[in-house]
Amino acid sequence: MKIVVTGGLGFIGSHTVVELQNEGFEVIAIDNLSNSSESVLDGIFNITGKKPIFEKMDLRDKASVQNFFKKHNDVVGVIHFAASKAVGESVENPLLYYENNINTLVYLLQELKELPSANFIFSSSCTVYGQAEKMPITENASIQPAISPYGNTKQIGEEIITDVAKVTNINSILLRYFNPIGAHESAEIGELPIGVPQNLVPFITQTGLGLRQELSVYGNDYPTPDGTCIRDYIHVVDLAKAHVIALKRLLDKKNLEKVETFNLGTGTGSSVLEVITAFEKVSGQKLPYKIVGRREGDVIEAYANTDKASAVLGWKTQYNLEEAVDSAWKWEKKVRM
Ligand code: WQD
């Protein structure tokens, strides 16, 4: 069965392509290579022995999207990762985010609704919850007004999908990721942030390798046990496997609601200092860091209630924080060799 993975050469996309291939799906990876490279195809091949069909395409080009689905009208599912995802950049350049994250979604859905069988998985984010009142966060926690255009595009995306589902045959699953980290155990694929990493774990592994001088910890005066922010760091392979399970659920079409939402996290919160400790343990080296002021827009804590994903998808994470950080460290060392 033919599955399209947009952003298929990206961090989460490439790991999901591997797991789809492991389950026997035929994969078409679409990517505009703005935040990835074609060499990721070799990494995927080295893991699975198969290269997905690759289409270099910018989903902002409506005609390209239309032509693609004219050519591939036997697609049974689309997993949509392709989007811009840097919170800070979205504040500086909101129109880039609304064009790249919203227009592309609309063009995809316009084609999907014409297919005989349309199954759609949307890459959403726990950022839609903002600072949730209650931990762990369930799927019916209230959606807070977005604090960045990036977060707003995820909220708007979910609303578009929900409205479209009411009047089309598209069945959708919204997956709200917490904090994806780590890399495939082979270290053949992983996270390749362009420029200075915005996210914690790639900054830590680059610092560990001496590519960065020291980590700045954005605040230790939060109302948490050690004063630093708490997040739910989920191994990217656990996350990828959840996508395959969600796709199979859509294809089975049993007891499906038109749009279903799942939080994807470990269910455990970890502070910034705990992530640093995990890195020092797996690497055997001290991490240079300093405490600086808070970062605008950070929530104090966010970690997932995983009951629904476990009960409905039968999915639970297999990797713990240290294993995930260790896989990120192995990847960092290999990719810099
Ligand atoms: C985690 C913690 C920082 C860097 C964002 C998006 C989310 C998703 C993942 C795309 C925070 C602290 C970080 C550093 C630090 N994005 N930190 N020093 O902000 O929870 O989530 O990225 O899919 O949608 O919102 O992740 O890794 O940036 O930060 O102290 O150099 O690490 O303050 O507490 P975040 P993050």
Side-chain angles (χ1 to χ4, degrees):
M1 280 192 262
K2 203 181 263 186
I3 305 296
V4 171
V5 179
T6 73
L9 300 193
F11 173 38
I12 307 170
S14 57
H15 285 84
T16 302
V17 168
V18 163
E19 299 307 326
L20 285 167
Q21 290 187 329
N22 288 344
E23 292 294 308
F25 288 101
E26 181 191 354
V27 179
I28 304 178
I30 293 176
D31 209 300
N32 67 359
L33 302 180
S34 63
N35 194 19
S36 58
S37 88
E38 224 168 314
S39 63
V40 170
L41 286 167
D42 299 326
I44 293 169
F45 178 78
N46 292 341
I47 296 169
T48 66
K50 286 174 284 201
K51 266 192 188 179
I53 301 166
F54 171 57
E55 296 256 352
K56 185 175 185 295
M57 187 197 323
D58 194 319
L59 297 172
R60 289 173 294 189
D61 177 352
K62 184 174 182 176
S64 302
V65 178
Q66 291 172 322
N67 293 335
F68 175 88
F69 282 96
K70 276 200 188 78
K71 195 165 108 184
H72 298 284
N73 58 10
D74 54 347
V75 165
V76 294
V78 173
I79 304 180
H80 182 40
F81 293 106
S84 301
K85 59 160 205 168
V87 174
E89 182 190 45
S90 77
V91 174
E92 262 114 63
N93 195 345
L95 283 175
L96 180 140
Y97 275 69
Y98 288 115
E99 183 190 34
N100 196 36
N101 293 10
I102 303 297
N103 291 10
T104 56
L105 173 64
V106 169
Y107 299 155
L108 277 174
L109 294 172
Q110 284 173 329
E111 298 313 311
L112 264 179
K113 70 179 174 56
E114 304 306 326
L115 293 178
S117 158
N119 298 290
F120 188 66
I121 294 176
F122 180 65
S123 162
S124 190
S125 168
C126 64
T127 204
V128 301
Y129 298 115
Q131 179 52 71
E133 275 104 56
K134 198 165 152 296
M135 292 299 135
I137 304 172
T138 65
E139 286 80 358
N140 48 35
S142 61
I143 303 299
Q144 307 284 340
I147 46 175
S148 73
Y150 159 74
N152 205 21
T153 66
K154 292 301 178 185
Q155 289 182 10
I156 296 168
E158 293 192 358
E159 288 163 10
I160 290 171
I161 292 162
T162 304
D163 288 344
V164 167
K166 291 175 187 145
V167 291
T168 67
N169 69 340
I170 302 174
N171 288 317
S172 298
I173 289 182
L174 312 176
L175 296 178
R176 291 176 179 162
Y177 311 154
F178 281 68
N179 287 57
I181 64 167
H184 189 270
E185 61 187 0
S186 64
E188 287 291 341
I189 52 175
E191 194 168 7
L192 262 178
I194 294 173
V196 180
Q198 300 304 304
N199 295 130
L200 178 66
V201 170
F203 201 104
I204 286 178
T205 54
Q206 288 192 15
T207 303
L209 220 49
L211 300 172
R212 308 285 162 202
Q213 205 191 343
E214 65 180 352
L215 170 75
S216 296
V217 174
Y218 297 138
N220 69 345
D221 57 350
Y222 286 96
T224 61
D226 66 17
T228 62
C229 294
I230 291 172
R231 297 288 186 274
D232 186 334
Y233 297 94
I234 174 173
H235 195 299
V236 66
V237 172
D238 277 328
L239 193 59
K241 288 180 173 169
H243 287 73
V244 180
I245 294 170
L247 175 69
K248 287 180 175 176
R249 175 172 171 78
L250 287 169
L251 294 171
D252 284 350
K253 298 196 187 308
K254 284 199 198 81
N255 315 320
L256 263 186
E257 290 162 40
K258 287 291 283 177
V259 181
E260 297 182 341
T261 304
F262 296 95
N263 285 346
L264 296 184
T266 65
T268 303
S270 301
S271 74
V272 176
L273 293 181
E274 285 171 327
V275 178
I276 292 171
T277 302
F279 174 78
E280 293 182 335
K281 187 159 176 215
V282 301
S283 66
Q285 60 186 67
K286 288 300 283 172
L287 186 88
Y289 70 88
K290 66 182 177 201
I291 306 291
V292 299
R294 295 182 174 191
R295 180 174 68 175
E296 186 70 27
D298 272 339
V299 296
I300 300 165
E301 65 178 339
Y303 54 95
N305 178 308
T306 59
D307 293 348
K308 186 180 176 190
S310 168
V312 178
L313 299 178
W315 170 87
K316 275 195 88 62
T317 51
Q318 306 301 312
Y319 295 98
N320 63 30
L321 177 67
E322 275 181 21
E323 289 162 331
V325 171
D326 188 35
S327 70
W329 179 227
K330 285 195 170 71
W331 159 253
E332 189 71 63
K333 287 185 288 187
K334 178 160 181 195
V335 80
R336 304 292 171 192
M337 263 174 10

